[in-house]
């Protein structure tokens, strides 16, 4: 019997079994209304779940109204949001995939226009055009994200404690909605990343200064996530493995952070990068296929903790090689799945491990199989 490719070998995480090692990365679409999911989310998530991935993330969901990036961000700050999320989780389950959610706070990158509206801070023009005004943003420090952006309010200890409770309630709502996996967003310049990175955190209290102090809040919230999340289900954390080249948060910092996450019971680190506004010479410019894989590899091998590899992984053979070489445990795809949501099912065919087309929804898999047989393809 031919050995099954690792990409399509089931993966056990606590009591949860993924049918394969392909993950739909959380992708914000800025199409919610007052934090509520719309028909867009049903169509978007359904299309991705039907494509054959083992684990499907809905987009990042805001822990409170202040934590939105835009007025169109999906929310989980109110019990009224549970039903929408439950419908999305059930939709994912209907395609024999596991459902996941990422919990986030936009921090100093909040109160922004949607990307197709410019992606800049909200202002008077947005009020006139769409009735969407700005709100007070908050972060680890009062450092603006970029020139021309508003200075965030530096969070007080009382506000931090309130935020921690918001996260606790969001974790509970996520479980009530029926998700199988939960992820804390600590990447891409958003609130948790702004506490971790010395480029955004100039506090002089217990949440700033040394690396250990800057890790304090993300670790505190990650520990609560693990406490609130059922012990039989896995919890992830997404990180920016590095801020850039020779600046700010480093891969050595990420290794230390991952070791602490492992100690509190986090099951997997999702290894992305970037999100800070940097001088050109310090930016990650080599956006070639797999440019973030070395970060996942170092953390997995040096910490002994499973990682997710993400970033321009497009070719099936390359994805398989990443797993085979022990560089990561899961392969996450984002924009590639927007281009081709059937990538997982097509890859299963290409690698010869789905001769009966079971990766495809039965409603049209049988027809496609017949068509291919008739054409001799």
């Amino acid at each position: 019997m031919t050995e099954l490719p690792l990409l399509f070998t089931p993966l056990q995480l606590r009591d949860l079994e993924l049918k394969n090692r392909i993950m739909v990365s959380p992708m914000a679409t800025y199409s919610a209304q007052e934090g509520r999911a719309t028909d867009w989310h049903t169509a978007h998530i359904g299309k991705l779940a039907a494509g054959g991935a083992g684990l499907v993330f809905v987009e990042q969901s805001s822990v409170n109204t202040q934590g939105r990036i835009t007025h169109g961000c999906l929310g989980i700050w109110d019990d009224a949001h549970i039903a929408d999320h439950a419908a999305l989780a059930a939709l994912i389950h209907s395609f024999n995939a596991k459902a996941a959610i990422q919990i986030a706070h936009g921090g100093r990158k909040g109160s922004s226009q949607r990307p197709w509206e410019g992606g800049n801070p909200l202002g008077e023009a947005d009020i006139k055009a769409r009735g969407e005004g700005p709100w007070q943003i908050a972060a680890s420090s009062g450092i603006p994200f970029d020139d021309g952006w508003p200075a965030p309010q530096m969070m007080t200890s009382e506000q931090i404690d309130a935020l921690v409770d918001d996260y606790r309630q969001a974790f509970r709502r996520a479980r009530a909605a029926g998700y199988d996996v939960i992820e804390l967003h600590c990447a891409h310049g958003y609130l948790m990343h702004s506490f971790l990175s010395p480029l955004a955190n100039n506090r002089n209290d217990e949440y700033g200064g040394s690396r250990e102090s800057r890790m304090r809040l993300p670790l505190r919230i990650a520990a609560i996530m693990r406490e609130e999340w059922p012990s039989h289900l896995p919890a992830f954390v997404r990180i920016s493995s590095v801020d850039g080249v020779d600046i700010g948060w480093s891969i050595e910092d990420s290794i230390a952070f991952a070791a602490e996450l492992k100690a509190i019971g986090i099951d997997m680190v999702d290894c992305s990068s970037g999100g800070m506004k940097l001088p050109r010479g310090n930016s990650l410019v080599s956006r070639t296929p797999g440019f973030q894989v070395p970060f996942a590899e170092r953390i997995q091998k040096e910490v002994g903790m499973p990682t997710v590899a993400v970033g321009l992984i497009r070719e099936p053979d390359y994805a398989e090689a990443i797993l085979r070489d022990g560089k990561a445990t899961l392969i996450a795809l984002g924009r590639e799945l927007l281009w081709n949501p059937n990538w997982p099912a097509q890859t299963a065919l290409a690698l010869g491990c789905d001769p009966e087309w079971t990766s495809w929804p039965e409603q049209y898999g049988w027809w496609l199989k017949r068509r291919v047989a008739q054409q001799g393809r």
Side-chain angles (χ1 to χ4, degrees):
M1 180 177 177
T2 303
E3 184 178 357
L4 195 66
L6 276 176
L7 202 57
F8 291 96
T9 300
L11 176 65
Q12 192 76 29
L13 295 171
R14 296 189 181 242
D15 289 352
L16 186 73
E17 183 179 88
L18 305 183
K19 64 182 179 182
N20 58 47
R21 313 288 179 101
I22 303 171
M23 176 181 121
V24 176
S25 194
M27 295 175 280
T29 62
Y30 311 106
S31 300
Q33 296 179 357
E34 301 298 326
R36 299 288 303 270
T38 65
D39 288 346
W40 159 261
H41 294 90
T42 302
H44 170 63
I45 296 300
K47 174 179 64 178
L48 294 172
L55 181 62
V56 179
F57 268 87
V58 303
E59 63 192 68
Q60 63 180 54
S61 299
S62 301
V63 68
N64 56 32
T65 55
Q66 186 184 56
R68 295 169 295 166
I69 303 169
T70 74
H71 280 278
C73 286
L74 194 62
I76 196 162
W77 65 76
D78 192 295
D79 286 352
H81 295 144
I82 295 174
D84 292 348
H85 282 285
L88 292 175
L91 178 62
I92 293 168
H93 289 150
S94 73
F95 290 107
N96 190 31
K98 302 304 181 183
I101 183 172
Q102 183 187 75
I103 311 296
H105 186 296
R108 63 183 188 160
K109 296 173 77 172
S111 191
S112 302
Q113 301 164 336
R114 297 169 184 85
W116 55 88
E117 295 161 354
N120 297 309
L122 291 166
E124 288 296 324
D126 301 290
I127 298 174
K128 293 178 181 178
R130 297 179 302 280
E132 295 181 341
W135 61 88
Q136 176 64 58
I137 55 175
S140 59
S141 303
I143 304 171
F145 169 64
D146 194 9
D147 294 340
W149 284 64
Q153 179 187 57
M154 186 176 79
M155 298 184 73
T156 66
S157 295
E158 293 75 18
Q159 289 170 330
I160 288 173
D161 288 342
L163 173 73
V164 169
D165 188 62
D166 287 343
Y167 271 101
R168 185 185 294 276
Q169 299 307 318
F171 299 148
R172 291 175 177 176
R173 293 184 190 107
R175 185 56 197 143
Y179 287 107
D180 305 296
V181 176
I182 194 165
E183 180 174 88
L184 175 63
H185 198 351
C186 293
H188 302 159
Y190 300 126
L191 184 63
M192 291 298 102
H193 186 192
S194 81
F195 273 88
L196 291 169
S197 174
L199 300 179
N201 185 344
N202 64 3
R203 302 175 72 98
N204 58 11
D205 62 1
E206 68 269 33
Y207 295 108
S210 69
R211 180 174 68 191
E212 289 69 26
S213 293
R214 286 183 279 113
M215 293 193 304
R216 191 182 308 277
L217 180 59
L219 287 174
R220 179 182 174 188
I221 293 174
I224 290 171
M225 179 173 70
R226 184 65 274 176
E227 174 188 323
E228 293 292 341
W229 203 240
S231 60
H232 67 283
L233 293 177
F236 294 9
V237 172
R238 171 166 273 197
I239 65 171
S240 278
S241 306
V242 299
D243 283 339
V245 179
D246 299 325
I247 191 170
W249 185 261
S250 69
I251 185 60
E252 288 76 21
D253 294 325
S254 288
I255 289 169
F257 185 46
E260 294 292 335
L261 292 171
K262 180 182 179 182
I264 62 177
I266 299 303
D267 299 278
M268 192 166 292
V269 175
D270 187 354
C271 299
S272 188
S273 65
M276 295 293 177
K277 195 69 176 181
L278 302 176
R280 180 171 297 179
N282 297 114
S283 296
L284 290 171
V285 295
S286 57
R287 295 183 65 83
T288 55
F291 71 105
Q292 294 172 148
V293 171
F295 307 138
E297 179 182 11
R298 281 199 61 182
I299 290 172
Q300 178 153 300
K301 291 182 177 179
E302 295 186 31
V303 181
M305 182 179 194
T307 60
V308 181
V310 62
L312 300 184
I313 301 171
R314 296 168 172 165
E315 299 302 323
D317 288 344
Y318 180 49
E320 175 68 13
I322 292 169
L323 299 176
R324 186 178 62 246
D325 295 342
K327 296 178 178 180
T329 298
L330 274 178
I331 300 296
L333 289 86
R335 283 170 290 182
E336 185 66 17
L337 292 180
L338 298 181
W339 175 254
N340 178 13
N342 293 323
W343 189 97
Q346 290 177 348
T347 297
L349 291 176
L351 296 181
C353 53
D354 188 20
E356 298 302 318
W357 293 64
T358 56
S359 298
W360 298 78
E362 58 186 9
Q363 291 89 339
Y364 57 77
W366 69 272
W367 184 86
L368 290 171
K369 180 182 178 182
R370 180 183 177 188
R371 178 177 182 272
V372 168
Q374 289 173 339
Q375 293 183 347
R377 296 177 62 186

